[in-house]
Amino acid sequence: MDELPIGRRVAYWRGRRKMSQQVFADRLGKSKSWVDKVERGVRRLDKFSVVYEIADVLQVDVQLLLGKDVERRPETQNCIDQVEVEEIRAALERYDQMSAFFQAVPHSPPLTEMRKAVSHAWLTYQHAKYGVLARMLPKLLRDAQAADSAYATGTEAKDAAHLLGQVYQIASSALRKVGEHELSWLAADRSIAVSQRAGDQLLAGLASYRVGSALLALGRVRPALEVNVNIANRLAPSYEPAHKGERLSVYGMLLLNGAMAAARIGDSATVRDLLCGAEQASLELGGDFNHYWTSFGPTNVQLHRCATAVELGDGRTAVETHEKIDVIGFNAMLPERRAHHFLDIARGYTQIGNVEKASEMLLEGDRLAPSEIRCRPLAHEVLSDVLRRTRGTPPAPIAELAEQMGVGV
């Protein structure tokens, strides 16, 4: 968008904020005609004070309106900012596969390079390095799309589709973390179609898991519950030994995600049944593994027992379950999963009024994986709740974290 006139940028961001010209004009204290002339380039924006006011109403960095690179603060380096979100959006809006129907793709990276890049992206996500991931995702999406188009009719077509399906899932998960739920849903939905072309039921199952997560984040709870349970039933482990560990892992994660959706609507009986099914799968699996990047096993089931209890408003059960978790198994889990759990338990402690322990959990999560705490809107809400409930001046570490996250003390 850098080459666009400023009026076009204003129109773009107004549209992104779902404001009509009239609403936008009212918030600026201008007329609708004035806004229309600015967006069409008939009227120049030659006062910085007005540009800053427009940026404030649109809730974007003024540098975006001026077509310049946003100067990032040090504490936001590991988060996904709006510039990076728009770059990911632009990559998702490409339809190179359709262009390839008419002419050959000019360039595509070798699949061996793509496999390394995708594996690196998964590890980056599971280590909660969201800023690093955001900066690599646009190129990774473009490369994976190009590879899928280039190898569409060859012997490596399924491999290329498999890689693209994975990249869509990584993008979906990262976007959901930072509150971009509609984009997360789009990327997950794309992964379902691509995964079917890849001929991999487990990858398609995981794509359904991502769709369910995005739907849950969007407040579409019952569809989220249905998609997880329906696909889990289709993937119920059989007696065939081939890929049994991978199948158990994907099946178990679908049940856990379904349990989270059931908890959101207060259906404790369904939560109990789904957790029981996931626990049986984890015991059959025989330990904690990262098959298909799931981090599934007995420990993850316990973490979801805590998380579902929090969703049900039962902070006491969440805390009691947390205290019984196997320490060795927990410490062996990847940073994103552990920090996510600390955030869940911080919520649990606020539910029982223990603000001090809630603060400890937030700080522990921040020490382990700062991006999981500092970049997530949910963590901002929990920290705001902690500060509200704190009597007097908050402890220095939590006050410092609040300042770095931009949460008012």
Side-chain angles (χ1 to χ4, degrees):
M1 280 206 314
D2 291 358
E3 68 278 5
L4 293 180
I6 187 170
R8 292 281 300 281
R9 293 191 207 105
V10 170
Y12 171 81
W13 285 105
R14 178 181 59 75
R16 289 282 296 116
R17 296 294 180 252
K18 294 181 171 59
M19 289 186 205
S20 66
Q21 284 189 338
Q22 186 62 63
V23 169
F24 183 46
D26 291 344
R27 293 185 183 182
L28 282 171
K30 303 286 187 181
S31 68
K32 181 182 176 182
S33 173
W34 183 91
V35 171
D36 182 65
K37 289 177 181 177
V38 165
E39 293 184 349
R40 290 190 292 113
V42 175
R43 186 183 186 102
R44 294 181 60 188
L45 286 175
D46 48 11
K47 289 185 178 180
F48 279 111
S49 59
V50 176
V51 176
Y52 276 100
E53 189 177 356
I54 289 173
D56 186 54
V57 170
L58 294 175
Q59 297 181 341
V60 299
D61 193 293
V62 70
Q63 301 298 322
L64 280 178
L65 292 182
L66 297 172
K68 299 178 181 178
D69 291 334
V70 175
E71 183 179 347
R72 298 181 175 93
R73 295 175 299 169
E75 62 268 24
T76 66
Q77 285 293 324
N78 289 322
C79 291
I80 303 177
D81 63 26
Q82 197 61 46
V83 177
E84 290 155 348
V85 167
E86 293 309 314
E87 289 176 353
I88 295 170
R89 183 191 306 279
L92 287 170
E93 288 173 347
R94 291 166 64 95
Y95 286 87
D96 289 347
Q97 293 95 329
M98 196 61 194
S99 299
F101 181 74
F102 298 99
Q103 61 185 33
V105 177
H107 169 72
S108 171
L111 291 187
T112 51
E113 291 182 12
M114 284 298 307
R115 289 188 191 96
K116 292 178 183 177
V118 171
S119 294
H120 178 58
W122 274 118
L123 289 173
T124 303
Y125 172 76
Q126 291 190 315
H127 282 82
K129 303 291 186 183
Y130 302 139
V132 175
L133 181 60
R135 289 184 276 281
M136 71 168 72
L137 263 176
K139 183 178 186 301
L140 188 58
L141 279 162
R142 291 192 296 269
D143 286 349
Q145 289 165 341
D148 183 54
S149 298
Y151 298 102
T153 58
T155 56
E156 296 174 304
K158 288 188 175 182
D159 287 344
H162 203 285
L163 289 168
L164 179 58
Q166 292 179 54
V167 176
Y168 280 142
Q169 292 194 37
I170 296 168
S172 175
S173 296
L175 289 163
R176 179 176 51 82
K177 287 282 189 182
V178 296
E180 292 289 338
H181 304 318
E182 292 282 358
L183 269 186
S184 174
W185 185 17
L186 171 63
D189 188 69
R190 290 265 183 89
S191 182
I192 286 183
V194 175
S195 299
Q196 290 180 69
R197 282 200 287 105
D200 188 334
Q201 287 188 343
L202 300 184
L203 187 66
L206 267 183
S208 301
Y209 168 89
R210 311 288 172 196
V211 166
S213 296
L215 287 170
L216 187 58
L218 285 165
R220 304 286 297 160
V221 183
R222 290 195 181 277
L225 174 59
E226 289 172 7
V227 72
N228 280 286
V229 173
N230 287 343
I231 302 303
N233 288 337
R234 286 164 172 74
L235 285 178
S238 62
Y239 292 104
E240 298 177 10
H243 307 294
K244 187 174 182 180
E246 290 90 340
R247 197 174 191 89
L248 283 165
S249 296
V250 175
Y251 168 75
M253 287 304 296
L254 285 162
L255 293 181
L256 292 178
N257 213 19
M260 291 299 297
R264 187 72 64 85
I265 55 176
D267 187 351
S268 57
T270 299
V271 170
R272 186 167 56 251
D273 290 345
L274 293 175
L275 286 175
C276 181
E279 184 172 42
Q280 290 174 353
S282 73
L283 293 175
E284 190 174 349
L285 184 62
D288 296 302
F289 297 94
N290 197 26
H291 295 310
Y292 270 71
W293 320 281
T294 57
S295 293
F296 181 73
T299 305
N300 206 351
V301 173
Q302 289 298 93
L303 301 194
H304 279 78
R305 286 192 184 280
C306 295
T308 51
V310 170
E311 287 295 336
L312 289 166
D314 188 359
R316 180 72 59 190
T317 296
V319 169
E320 289 174 355
T321 305
H322 164 71
E323 292 171 347
K324 297 174 185 175
I325 290 174
D326 174 56
V327 175
I328 295 176
F330 180 72
N331 289 338
M333 300 197 83
L334 289 158
E336 178 273 334
R337 192 82 282 279
R338 285 186 284 159
H340 187 150
H341 174 69
F342 283 128
L343 178 54
D344 286 333
I345 297 305
R347 293 173 66 200
Y349 274 119
T350 61
Q351 289 175 351
I352 62 175
N354 193 334
V355 177
E356 183 179 351
K357 290 295 290 184
S359 298
E360 287 180 18
M361 293 298 99
L362 287 173
L363 292 170
E364 190 66 25
D366 183 64
R367 179 196 64 77
L368 180 66
S371 294
E372 181 66 15
I373 303 300
R374 302 186 184 201
C375 302
R376 296 194 62 190
L378 176 61
H380 285 241
E381 292 175 15
V382 175
L383 181 54
S384 294
D385 192 24
V386 166
L387 293 172
R388 250 191 332 268
R389 293 165 178 252
T390 300
R391 294 182 179 178
T393 305
I398 206 73
E400 182 180 350
L401 178 61
E403 182 180 356
Q404 291 171 338
M405 290 173 61
V407 177
V409 179

